Amino acid sequence: MIDLHSHTTASDGQYAPTELLTRAAAAGVTVLAVTDHDTVAGLAEAAEAARAHGVELVPGIEISAFIHGRECHILGHFLRPDDEDIARFADRLRLEREQRMEALLERMRQLGYPVRMEHVLAVAGDAQLGRPHLARVLVDRGWVVDVKEAFDRFLGARGAAWVERFKLAGEDAIRLIRNAGGTATLAHPGSSRMEKLEIRALAQAGLAGLEVLHEDHNPSVRQKYLAIARELDLVPTAGSDFHGEAISADHRLGTASMPPELFAKLKSRAQA
């Protein structure tokens, strides 16, 4: 079973890399990509755990970017974890995320919810700060029922506490990944509402794959993006987008997989 999309506590996942690999092996996953948001900090621990469990680790990252003014998420696979440009990018994003979190917290306080940075840090630990950490604080304090409500009411693009984020061009995200020896794949295009126009522009910039098999894609959505992948010569990929049951209960390890020959095709594009 080949799963090319998962997260650890290095970003907004529930489980540390070692625990993630333990759970992946138990679920029958034989190839797992660890693709934390804007960081590769969890990859060293993940590599050691993968060896212990006999799982092939695909070193990865998930970068938030923009194409034609719309947000998209670009997965990097097979990249060099020690790449200097990736390290500089992660450092820059850590600072950007801290500044954005301060602004989000100020908006929440203005709305009458007295949440402070120490509350978020207690949830996030050493991870890259992100809105899911604040969402979990809101759930823990009983201000919302679940993470989805936190995003719908406050933290999403139409939420009352929304703060604009640093905008990296999709083309630049792809270039960063390719320069680190990796392949770039567009994550969950259905959830991001990506259409052929945007996907073609990313393909022209060097996109290699399209995440067709994703938990949020129903059969008709999968067929739509499979057709686009074939038309644009993109490798159809699969990913559970696993964060952990407490964060996203409907995204489970072992529920999304791709044929070995397509995995080999994606890997060959990195090697090329």
Side-chain angles (χ1 to χ4, degrees), residues 78-259:
F78 313 106
L79 51 76
R80 296 185 298 272
D82 59 352
D83 181 79
E84 292 183 0
D85 288 338
I86 289 286
R88 281 192 289 268
F89 169 77
D91 288 342
R92 177 182 182 182
L93 262 292
R94 179 176 287 275
L95 178 59
E96 294 278 355
R97 284 172 174 271
E98 289 173 357
Q99 294 172 340
R100 188 188 189 202
M101 184 59 69
E102 290 285 9
L104 284 166
L105 294 174
E106 179 58 30
R107 292 278 182 90
M108 291 300 301
R109 287 192 288 267
Q110 292 172 359
L111 292 168
Y113 299 91
V115 60
R116 299 189 300 275
M117 181 62 84
E118 53 262 38
H119 301 147
V120 180
L121 292 176
V123 171
D126 294 328
Q128 289 266 34
L129 287 177
R131 290 175 294 159
H133 297 127
L134 176 53
R136 286 162 61 186
V137 173
L138 301 184
V139 173
D140 291 344
R141 291 178 170 264
W143 292 329
V144 295
V145 173
D146 54 24
V147 169
K148 182 180 184 303
E149 184 186 354
F151 274 82
D152 289 345
R153 288 180 57 193
F154 301 112
L155 307 179
R158 297 181 180 179
W162 171 254
V163 173
E164 285 292 343
R165 52 156 294 152
F166 165 69
K167 292 187 175 182
L168 179 73
E171 297 90 338
D172 292 335
I174 292 171
R175 186 179 305 111
L176 181 68
I177 290 166
R178 286 166 57 94
N179 288 345
T183 59
T185 291
L186 180 62
H188 44 68
S191 302
S192 300
R193 299 181 181 179
M194 292 286 105
E195 296 298 337
K196 191 191 302 183
L197 179 67
E198 289 88 11
I199 299 171
R200 178 181 286 112
L202 293 171
Q204 291 170 345
L207 192 74
L210 188 63
E211 191 178 48
V212 172
L213 299 174
H214 185 277
E215 286 291 292
D216 293 343
H217 292 173
N218 63 36
S220 64
V221 171
R222 293 182 179 190
Q223 286 300 316
K224 170 185 175 178
Y225 288 108
L226 180 59
I228 292 175
R230 288 171 174 165
E231 180 180 340
L232 300 179
D233 190 29
L234 300 172
V235 179
T237 71
S240 63
D241 200 1
F242 180 77
H243 287 71
E245 301 81 7
I247 299 169
S248 186
D250 55 343
H251 291 186
R252 295 161 293 169
L253 289 164
T255 57
S257 184
M258 60 191 290

Side-chain angles (χ1 to χ4, degrees), residues 16-29:
T18 298
E19 180 63 16
L20 172 66
L21 266 296
T22 299
R23 289 173 175 269
V29 176

